């Protein structure tokens, strides 16, 4: 039935369609569709027109019912839009100092003009975006300025900066040593040095290595972007920092437009060399220094550049048409240029052949050397260390030490007897006491070197020794008591083939000549017996020392003394600020009781401590005076801490057991606590030089223990002898003799390898009394590599340099350091630095173009000129103290360190990191930098090596 129904529907439909087409034609279907479309469209148009008219009527009703009149507001808005933009007022205050704000505003203006405005105005004329960037920069600078004012910059400039430089130099020196040990000439030395440098850095720093930042431009840019974003997060308000577009623009301006060009310039070796020459532009180049640089140069590029320039000058001089006196001058110039060319050719051939000649070995084999008389060797600080090393090798050190000990005894005995005579004239009698001290000292020398028990013993005529023993037993000692034996010992060292004659044939003698700068230009030709002419070494002299007076303290054992610091205060005397301590003193005896107050400065405590520890040696290990503080030593918190420490010092000093153990100590204590101005008992200069030349009695009391074992005790014993030679004697105005004194080691012994830690790592900030000075001395130790030298010389060099500074500046050296740092961070100096930065990047207000790199020959000649200038300005006093060859090597090592841009970048980034750590101490910058440098390849290799070495031990 369904099928029949569907067939009927299709049948009737088909019949209807056929009838329609037959009736109306074949196009009727199109007409029909058109009619339907017109009907629908007409209905839509009618509906639209009707709805529009109704909507307008409704909106008009709503406007009159709810909205205010717009006849005034809209025209006014249009008028405001047509007006010209008003000038925007900007607060130009940044740091609070107009002298700094003005150049800073110019830097901001130039930065926006050259990095943003030149492309922004092609997109829009709206100033609001530029205003937001400028305000963001100014806000960051204001925050930066506020942080800078709150920061104490003295530790950064005086300690951390010097420590970072010294550590950088230590890493460079160790890298050079490793390359020298490898001895591989086939590899690129510069590239290998950079790789080895960062390998050593990660071993020393342990947690960070900056190889990627310094060697990969892409990583460097990423590091600077991350760093600038962190700084913007700290300095900008949160709303501005969340504005990504503005933040990215400011970040790119700081990182790519300012920091990156500045770091590249500061790291450029050619820029550094030019700056060095500019800094010492007042000194004239010395021909001898120039030739020394040529002969010592190991860079073929430098030699070829000098040779080409000399050939050019030679060609010019030969082209001149001269006559008369001028021709002789030109001939001399031509001969000099020919000699320079010859030296350059010879040096180039030697370097290319790989047959480098050791100057010391060449001179030793050549045989024709200067003869330095023995008497000059014994009084010259540099020469003596080499002779001392040789005498230790041959077993004759006892003779040398005896001679020097007698020299010290004679000088001090003469001085002491003079003091004794002057006191006798004044009515003071201490004859027996002084002579007893001298007798003890003389017996000490005899027992140590001449008695049967002496080890090692000075082998000398037994009759002279017996005569000396008899004199010591029956007569008062005189300054000349050892003269006969000393003369014999000198003759023995001079004539015996084991000593001085063989020393002149030893390589140590040649090295001595190199340090005295006498290998190439001897200043005299002496004879073997010491009767040659005087040479240009350090002048000798003597410093006369005196023993402090020993006074009898009160003998009444019933006297009880108590004292404590009751208050502290800060005084200002004629512009000099210092702390003052009020000491309340109670003294009781059987019949009376007294109480008073006395006032003392820390320097009084220090002077008192020095006097009693010199007089009573056992107290040095018991009494510990609180150390000085370099900076901020007027803070209330620090003064309270020092008050507590000084009170503990006083209580230990006044302990009855302490007074019983040293009865004579009571006199010094009473004198110090009396209600009167404290008399230091010594002149100002003597106080400044106390630690430079300690009294002879300390060393003589311990002379029996000073040189017991070889070689340790020898090094320790010789630290007791003054090396105050050279120019110091001229400045003091008196002859300075070598004296026997004890110099405590500058650094305490450490059980860690000092070469694998930072330069200032061994320093304890809570103990040392002069941190900046010690860091400077450690830096000098690193520059001249004094750790490789004779320990006696090394300690005495540091002691001498320390005392030269203190003798010049005295107790005000810390104040001078503080004043200099304050001057460096003053508004005038900061403004001058900003102006130099502005003028360097925008000379005459125009963005500086990238300076093309100078020609290689010019850069090489600049290197030679820089090294020549540095050697020229080195003072002769320094050469006399540590030797000419050591001075030369140290200066050239520092100069060579600056000839590698990657290493210079590392130093700049270290300075920048320490600067930010100091400026933002609460923001954990050390951890941040460790993370930023965590992708270091050297760091990953180091961790792998560390893991591989630890794995076997863990398995065991």
């Amino acid at each position: 039935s369904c099928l029949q129904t569907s067939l009927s529907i299709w049948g009737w439909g088909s019949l209807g369609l056929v009838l329609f087409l037959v009736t109306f034609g074949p196009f009727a279907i199109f007409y029909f569709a058109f009619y339907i479309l017109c009907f629908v469209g007409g209905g839509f148009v009618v509906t639209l027109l009707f709805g529009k008219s109704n909507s307008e009527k409704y909106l008009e009703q709503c406007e009159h019912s709810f909205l205010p009149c717009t006849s005034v507001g809209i025209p006014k808005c249009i008028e405001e839009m047509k007006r010209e933009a008003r000038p925007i007022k900007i607060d130009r205050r940044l740091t609070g100092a107009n002298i700094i704000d003005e150049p800073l505003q110019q830097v901001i203006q130039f930065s926006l003009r050259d990095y943003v405005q030149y492309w922004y105005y092609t997109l829009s004329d709206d100033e609001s975006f530029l205003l937001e960037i400028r305000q963001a920069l100014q806000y960051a600078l204001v925050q930066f300025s506020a942080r800078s004012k709150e920061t104490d910059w003295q530790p950064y400039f005086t300690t951390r900066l010097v420590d970072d430089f010294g550590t950088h130099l230590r890493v460079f020196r160790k890298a050079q040593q490793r390359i020298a040990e490898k001895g591989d000439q086939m590899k690129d030395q510069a590239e290998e040095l950079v790789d080895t440098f960062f390998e050593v850095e990660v071993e020393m720093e342990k947690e960070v290595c900056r190889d990627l930042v310094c060697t990969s431009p892409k990583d460097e840019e990423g590091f600077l972007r991350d760093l600038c974003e962190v700084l913007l997060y700290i300095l900008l308000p949160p709303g501005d920092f969340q504005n990504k577009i503005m933040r990215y623009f400011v970040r790119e301006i700081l990182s790519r437009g300012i920091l990156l060009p500045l770091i590249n310039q500061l790291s450029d070796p050619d820029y550094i060399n030019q700056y060095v020459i500019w800094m010492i532009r007042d000194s004239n180049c010395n021909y001898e220094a120039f030739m020394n640089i040529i002969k010592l140069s190991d860079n073929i590029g430098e030699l070829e550049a000098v040779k080409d320039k000399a050939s050019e000058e030679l060609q010019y001089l030969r082209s001149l048409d001269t006559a008369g006196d001028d021709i002789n001058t030109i001939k001399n110039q031509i001969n000099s240029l020919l000699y320079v060319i010859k030296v350059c050719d010879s040096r180039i051939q030697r370097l290319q052949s790989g047959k480098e000649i050791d100057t010391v070995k060449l001179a030793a084999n050549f045989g024709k050397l200067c003869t330095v008389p023995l008497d000059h060797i014994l009084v010259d600080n540099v020469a003596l260390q080499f002779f001392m090393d040789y005498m230790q090798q041959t077993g004759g050190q006892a003779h040398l030490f005896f001679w020097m000990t007698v020299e010290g005894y004679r000088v001090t005995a003469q001085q002491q007897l003079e003091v004794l005579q002057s006191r006798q004239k004044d009515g003071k009698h201490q004859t027996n006491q002084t002579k007893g001290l001298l007798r003890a000292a003389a017996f000490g020398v005899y027992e140590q070197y001449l008695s049967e028990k002496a080890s090692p013993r000075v082998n000398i005529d037994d009759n002279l020794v017996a005569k000396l023993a008899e004199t010591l037993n029956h007569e008062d000692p005189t300054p000349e008591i050892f003269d006969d034996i000393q003369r014999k010992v000198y003759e023995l060292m001079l004539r015996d083939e084991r000593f001085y004659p063989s020393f002149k044939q030893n390589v140590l003698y040649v090295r001595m000549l190199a340090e005295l700068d006498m290998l190439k230009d001897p200043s005299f030709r002496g004879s073997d017996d010491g009767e040659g002419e005087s040479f240009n070494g350090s002048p000798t002299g003597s410093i006369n020392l005196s023993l402090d007076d020993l006074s009898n303290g009160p003998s009444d054992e019933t006297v009880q003394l108590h004292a404590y610091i009751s208050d502290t205060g800060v005084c200002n005397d004629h512009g000099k600020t210092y702390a003052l301590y009020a000491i309340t003193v109670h003294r009781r005896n059987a019949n009376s009781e007294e109480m008073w107050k006395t006032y003392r400065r820390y320097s009084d405590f220090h002077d008192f401590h020095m006097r009693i520890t010199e007089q009573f040696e056992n107290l040095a290990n018991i009494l510990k005076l609180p150390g000085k503080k370099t900076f901020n030593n007027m803070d209330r918190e620090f003064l309270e801490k020092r008050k507590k420490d000084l009170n503990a010092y006083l209580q230990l000093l006044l302990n009855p057991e302490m007074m019983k153990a040293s009865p004579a100590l009571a006199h010094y204590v009473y004198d110090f606590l009396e209600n009167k101005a404290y008399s230091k008992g010594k002149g100002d200069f003597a106080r400044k030089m106390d630690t430079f030349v300690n009294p002879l009695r300390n060393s003589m009391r311990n002379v029996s223990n000073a040189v017991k074992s070889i070689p340790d005790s020898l090094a320790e014993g010789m630290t007791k002898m003054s090396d105050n030679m050279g120019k110091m004697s001229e400045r003091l105005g008196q002859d300075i003799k070598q004296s026997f004194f004890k110099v405590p080691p500058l650094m305490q012994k450490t059980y860690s390898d000092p070469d694998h830690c930072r330069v200032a790592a061994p320093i304890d900030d809570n103990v040392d009394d002069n941190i900046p000075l010690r860091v400077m001395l450690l830096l000098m130790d690193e520059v001249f590599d004094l750790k490789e030298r004779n320990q006696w010389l090394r300690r005495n060099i540091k002691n001498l340099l320390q005392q030269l500074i203190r003798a010049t500046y005295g107790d005000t050296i810390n104040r001078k350091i503080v004043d200099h740092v304050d001057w460096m961070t003053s508004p005038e100096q900061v403004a001058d630095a900003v102006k130099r930065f502005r003028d360097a990047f925008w000379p005459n207000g125009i963005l500086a173009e990238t300076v093309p790199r100078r020609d290689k020959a010019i850069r090489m000649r600049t290197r030679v000129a820089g090294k020549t200038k540095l050697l020229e300005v080195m003072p002769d006093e320094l050469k006399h103290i540590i030797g000419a060859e050591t001075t030369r090597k140290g200066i050239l090592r520092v100069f060579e360190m600056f000839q590698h841009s990657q290493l210079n970048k590392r130093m700049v980034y270290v300075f920048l990191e320490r600067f930010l750590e100091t400026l933002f101490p609460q923001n954990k910058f050390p951890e941040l930098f460790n993370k930023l440098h965590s992708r270091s390849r050297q760091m990953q290799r180091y961790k792998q090596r560390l893991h591989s070495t630890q794995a076997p031990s863990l398995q065991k």
Side-chain angles (χ1 to χ4, degrees):
S1 60
C2 293
L3 180 60
Q4 291 177 354
T5 302
S6 62
L7 289 175
S8 63
I9 292 175
W10 280 103
W12 284 106
S14 301
L15 178 62
L17 179 63
V18 170
L19 291 176
F20 180 81
L21 293 175
V22 171
T23 304
F24 297 102
F27 296 99
I29 191 170
F30 296 103
Y31 294 137
F32 182 72
F34 176 73
Y35 294 151
I36 293 176
L37 180 63
C38 290
F39 177 77
V40 174
F44 179 76
V45 171
V46 171
T47 303
L48 179 64
L49 293 176
F50 179 77
K52 180 181 180 183
S53 61
N54 286 342
S55 298
E56 288 177 351
K57 290 179 182 179
Y58 179 76
L59 289 174
E60 186 176 357
Q61 291 176 2
C62 293
E63 183 179 357
H64 288 293
S65 300
F66 305 106
L67 298 178
C69 179
T70 60
S71 59
V72 178
I74 293 177
K76 187 175 181 180
C77 182
I78 296 174
E79 183 181 356
E80 289 288 339
M81 293 175 64
K82 291 182 179 179
R83 289 180 182 179
E84 295 183 0
R86 295 179 180 177
I88 301 173
K89 295 183 179 180
I90 301 176
D91 188 359
R92 303 180 64 85
R93 294 175 297 177
L94 298 174
T95 64
N98 184 59
I99 191 176
I100 303 177
D101 293 347
E102 182 178 352
L104 267 181
Q105 288 289 352
Q106 291 179 343
V107 170
I108 296 175
Q109 179 183 349
F110 293 155
S111 300
L112 293 176
R113 181 195 67 189
D114 295 326
Y115 295 113
V116 179
Q117 291 179 2
Y118 81 95
W119 59 264
Y120 177 76
Y121 283 140
T122 61
L123 303 177
S124 173
D125 294 332
D126 188 7
E127 299 280 350
S128 59
F129 177 71
L130 299 176
L131 177 61
E132 289 181 3
I133 293 182
R134 188 183 189 101
Q135 289 177 339
L137 287 173
Q138 291 193 170
Y139 185 86
L141 287 174
V142 169
Q143 297 299 315
F144 185 86
S145 173
R147 289 288 188 99
S148 299
K149 293 177 181 178
E150 297 171 358
T151 303
D152 181 11
W153 291 109
Q154 282 132 8
Y156 173 76
F157 284 106
T158 60
T159 303
R160 297 175 188 170
L161 207 64
V162 183
D163 175 36
D164 288 333
F165 179 80
T167 303
H168 186 83
L169 180 60
R170 174 174 291 180
V171 176
F172 178 77
R173 178 175 56 81
K174 287 182 65 65
Q176 281 187 322
Q177 291 175 353
R178 289 194 182 181
I179 293 177
E181 292 172 359
K182 294 179 182 178
D184 190 353
Q185 301 293 334
M186 301 300 295
K187 296 183 179 179
D188 185 358
Q189 290 287 336
E191 182 178 351
E192 185 181 5
L193 177 63
V194 172
D195 292 339
T196 308
F197 179 90
F198 289 110
E199 181 182 333
V200 176
E201 181 195 19
V202 72
E203 294 175 2
M204 185 171 296
E205 297 284 356
K206 307 296 184 185
E207 298 180 353
V208 65
C209 184
R210 303 169 182 84
D211 55 338
L212 282 182
V213 176
C214 299
T215 58
S216 172
K218 182 179 179 180
D219 290 297
E220 182 181 11
E221 292 178 5
F223 173 80
L224 288 176
R225 287 194 185 99
D226 293 339
L227 182 60
C228 290
E229 193 147 354
V230 172
L231 291 176
L232 292 177
Y233 173 78
I234 295 174
L235 298 175
L236 290 181
D240 290 342
F241 183 79
Q242 296 301 327
N243 188 339
K244 292 185 178 181
I245 297 177
M246 184 190 67
R247 186 175 83 224
Y248 291 160
F249 272 115
V250 175
R251 183 192 70 183
E252 291 300 313
I253 290 174
L254 292 177
S255 62
R256 296 287 301 278
I258 296 178
L259 286 180
L260 188 60
L262 179 62
I263 291 172
N264 288 335
Q265 184 178 19
L266 294 177
S267 305
D268 183 16
D270 189 47
Y271 172 80
I272 296 175
N273 296 339
Q274 294 180 63
Y275 189 72
V276 168
I277 295 174
W278 177 82
M279 288 182 63
I280 49 182
R281 60 191 179 276
D282 295 333
S283 65
N284 297 321
C285 286
N286 182 275
Y287 177 76
E288 181 181 357
F290 171 73
M291 291 308 302
N292 283 336
I293 292 298
I294 297 299
K295 295 174 183 178
L296 295 173
S297 176
D298 56 358
N299 189 303
I300 295 179
E302 292 180 0
L303 298 170
E304 289 179 343
V306 173
K307 175 187 172 183
D308 292 342
K309 189 64 177 178
S311 300
E312 181 182 336
E313 292 293 326
L314 182 62
Q315 185 177 1
Y316 170 75
L317 290 176
R318 285 175 172 172
S319 66
L320 295 178
D321 185 12
T322 57
D325 295 337
D326 292 340
I327 194 171
N328 294 327
T329 303
I330 292 179
K331 283 183 178 180
N332 291 333
Q333 294 177 355
I334 289 175
N335 291 333
S336 298
L337 291 173
L338 288 173
Y339 178 69
V340 171
I341 294 173
K342 180 180 178 182
V343 172
C344 290
D345 283 334
S346 175
R347 185 68 179 162
I348 291 173
Q349 292 176 3
R350 191 174 301 159
L351 292 174
Q352 289 177 342
S353 64
K355 298 179 179 179
E356 182 63 20
I357 297 178
D358 190 339
T359 305
V360 173
K361 293 181 179 179
L362 179 65
N365 294 330
F366 189 65
K368 296 181 179 179
L369 301 173
C370 300
T371 300
V372 182
L374 180 59
D375 57 341
H376 287 291
I377 291 176
L378 293 176
V379 295
D380 183 84
N381 185 58
V382 176
L384 181 59
Q385 62 145 331
F386 291 97
F387 187 58
M388 186 186 305
D389 291 340
Y390 176 78
M391 293 294 282
Q392 288 181 348
Q393 294 176 7
T394 58
Q397 64 272 19
H399 300 78
L400 177 60
F401 288 175
F402 171 77
W403 186 91
M404 290 188 294
T405 304
V406 171
E407 283 292 296
Y409 169 82
R410 182 191 301 110
V411 171
T412 305
Q414 290 174 349
Q415 175 66 19
Q416 193 59 39
L417 292 177
E418 292 176 2
V419 172
L420 179 61
Q421 293 175 1
S422 63
R423 290 183 177 275
Q424 288 176 342
K425 292 180 180 179
D426 296 337
K428 300 178 181 180
H429 300 283
Q430 290 181 326
T431 304
N432 294 333
Q433 187 178 26
T434 302
K435 290 183 178 181
L437 288 174
L438 292 179
R439 181 182 297 279
F443 266 107
V445 175
Y446 173 82
E447 292 291 334
Q448 182 64 35
Y449 296 103
L450 301 175
S451 68
E452 295 293 338
K453 300 178 182 179
S455 177
R457 184 174 184 269
V458 175
N459 296 320
I460 206 69
D461 188 355
D462 292 338
N463 294 330
L464 289 177
V465 175
K467 182 179 179 182
L468 172 64
E470 184 179 356
T471 303
L472 287 173
N473 290 325
H474 299 90
E475 299 179 12
D476 291 334
T478 64
E480 299 80 14
I481 192 171
F482 294 103
D483 282 7
D484 292 339
I485 297 181
Q486 186 192 33
R487 194 176 301 110
K488 288 292 184 181
V489 170
Y490 177 83
E491 291 292 328
L492 179 65
M493 291 190 295
L494 180 66
R495 306 293 183 186
D496 195 319
E497 287 295 329
R498 297 174 298 165
F499 303 140
Y500 177 68
S502 297
F503 174 62
K504 291 190 298 180
Q505 307 299 322
N506 193 276
V507 67
L508 287 173
Y509 182 79
V510 184
R511 290 177 180 171
M512 180 195 74
L513 293 180
E515 292 293 354
L516 296 175
D517 208 12
M518 297 172 61
L519 276 181
K520 299 177 179 60
D521 185 20
S523 56
F524 69 94
R525 296 280 181 177
S527 59
D528 290 351
D529 58 0
E531 295 179 355
E533 300 175 14
S534 177
F535 69 100
N536 296 329
S538 302
T540 60
S542 64
I543 188 162
N544 295 326
L545 308 176
S546 62
L547 303 176
D548 286 329
D549 300 330
L550 295 176
S551 303
N552 295 324
S555 57
D556 189 357
E557 297 181 356
T558 62
V559 175
Q560 297 181 359
L561 192 66
H562 302 278
Y564 64 94
I565 300 177
S566 55
D567 199 5
T568 60
V570 177
C571 299
N572 192 310
D573 184 14
H574 300 288
K576 186 175 181 179
T577 304
Y578 55 88
L580 203 62
Y581 300 88
I583 306 175
T584 301
V585 185
H586 295 267
R587 184 169 61 182
R588 297 187 184 91
N589 55 28
N591 302 321
S592 63
E593 179 178 352
E594 294 179 86
M595 185 184 73
W596 67 86
K597 280 192 175 183
T598 187
Y599 299 89
R600 295 289 180 258
R601 296 176 53 181
Y602 177 84
S603 60
D604 299 329
F605 276 95
H606 185 265
D607 184 271
F608 169 73
H609 180 75
M610 287 175 59
R611 294 180 66 184
I612 62 175
T613 52
E614 288 171 2
Q615 184 64 45
F616 308 96
E617 188 179 356
N618 60 315
L619 297 182
N621 298 324
I622 302 174
L623 292 174
K624 300 297 181 183
L625 184 71
K628 293 181 181 178
K629 185 178 180 184
T630 308
F631 307 112
N632 298 328
N633 51 12
M634 296 297 152
D635 293 344
R636 172 54 58 183
E637 181 179 352
F638 171 74
L639 291 179
E640 288 298 324
K641 181 179 181 301
R642 175 171 281 179
K643 171 186 171 183
K644 180 180 178 181
D645 294 339
L646 289 176
N647 263 325
Y649 176 87
L650 278 177
Q651 302 316 310
L652 182 59
L653 179 68
L654 295 174
N655 188 296
E657 298 298 326
M658 180 84 70
M659 305 296 281
K660 290 180 181 179
S662 303
L665 176 64
H667 170 80
Y668 294 92
V669 175
Y670 290 165
D671 181 72
F672 178 74
L673 295 177
E674 279 191 68
N675 187 16
K676 64 178 182 179
Y678 177 60
S679 175
K680 296 181 171 62
K682 299 181 181 182
D684 290 337
F685 182 77
R687 290 185 60 248
K688 296 171 186 176
M689 298 300 291
D690 268 342
T691 57
F692 177 51
V693 184
N694 291 332
L696 178 65
R697 67 174 182 281
N698 288 344
S699 59
M700 288 306 175
R701 287 172 181 171
N702 294 313
V703 71
S704 60
N705 300 319
V707 191
K708 284 291 185 183
S709 60
I710 309 298
D712 292 338
S713 61
L714 293 179
E716 180 64 22
M718 290 318 300
T719 61
K720 301 175 182 179
M721 191 185 72
S722 169
D723 62 326
N724 188 14
M725 295 293 174
K727 299 297 182 182
M728 189 64 182
S729 61
E730 298 176 0
R731 295 174 181 174
L732 302 182
Q734 57 178 321
D735 295 334
I736 300 178
K737 283 285 186 183
Q738 294 265 34
S739 298
F740 198 76
F741 74 107
K742 184 175 182 179
V743 181
L746 186 64
M747 300 299 303
Q748 297 295 330
K749 292 184 178 180
T750 175
Y751 294 99
S752 61
D753 184 359
D755 274 354
H756 285 80
C757 62
R758 300 183 63 83
V759 169
I763 291 184
D764 184 357
D765 295 341
N766 298 322
V767 175
D768 192 71
D769 63 341
N770 202 331
I771 298 296
L773 181 60
R774 289 189 68 181
V775 175
M776 292 171 63
L777 293 173
L778 288 172
L779 174 61
M780 193 166 188
D781 190 0
E782 201 62 41
V783 170
F784 298 107
D785 200 12
L786 299 181
K787 293 181 293 300
E788 303 298 328
R789 305 293 296 276
N790 182 293
Q791 286 298 312
W792 162 80
L793 175 69
R794 180 170 175 253
R795 293 179 181 181
N796 284 347
I797 285 172
K798 288 188 175 182
N799 186 71
L800 175 60
L801 293 174
Q802 188 176 25
Q803 300 313 320
L804 281 174
I805 296 174
R806 286 180 174 171
T808 304
Y809 298 104
D811 294 333
T812 65
I813 182 170
N814 288 344
R815 172 53 52 190
K816 289 183 178 295
I817 293 175
V818 172
D819 292 343
H820 185 71
V821 173
D822 290 341
W823 174 80
M824 290 173 58
T825 56
S826 64
E828 293 77 10
Q829 293 302 312
V830 174
D832 187 57
V834 175
K835 290 177 182 177
R836 289 199 300 268
F837 173 79
R838 177 200 62 191
D839 296 339
F841 278 80
W842 293 277
N844 299 321
I846 302 174
L847 182 63
E849 298 180 357
T850 303
V851 180
R853 196 176 188 188
R854 300 199 306 166
D855 182 69
K856 180 181 178 181
I858 298 178
R859 287 186 279 116
M860 291 295 103
R861 288 196 292 270
T862 304
R863 287 183 56 170
V864 174
K867 287 191 283 188
T868 304
K869 285 273 190 178
L870 282 176
L871 285 186
E872 180 64 23
V873 298
M874 284 300 103
D876 292 337
E877 291 87 345
L878 186 62
K879 298 177 183 178
H880 292 155
I881 293 173
I882 63 177
E885 187 70 14
T886 300
T887 303
R888 229 181 342 255
K889 288 181 178 179
I891 296 302
L892 294 181
R893 180 187 297 113
V894 174
F895 187 86
E896 179 63 26
M897 181 184 68
F898 287 114
Q899 305 312 306
H900 304 274
S901 59
Q902 297 96 329
L903 308 189
N904 294 338
K905 278 191 177 182
R906 187 262 178 192
M907 185 164 58
V908 173
Y909 279 116
V910 169
F911 289 164
L912 177 61
E913 291 172 12
R914 295 294 180 271
F915 176 82
L916 294 177
E917 291 172 10
T918 304
L919 188 63
F920 305 102
Q922 305 299 328
N923 294 101
K924 299 182 179 180
F925 265 98
E927 298 178 8
L928 172 65
F929 289 130
N930 290 345
K931 293 180 180 179
L932 292 178
H933 295 299
S934 60
R935 294 175 54 249
S936 165
R937 291 187 293 267
Q938 292 288 353
M939 177 62 69
Q940 294 172 1
R941 295 172 189 168
Y942 175 74
K943 290 181 179 179
Q944 291 175 358
R945 291 196 303 269
L946 194 64
H947 178 73
S948 62
T949 55
Q950 291 178 350
S953 60
L954 292 176
Q955 292 176 359
K956 292 180 181 180

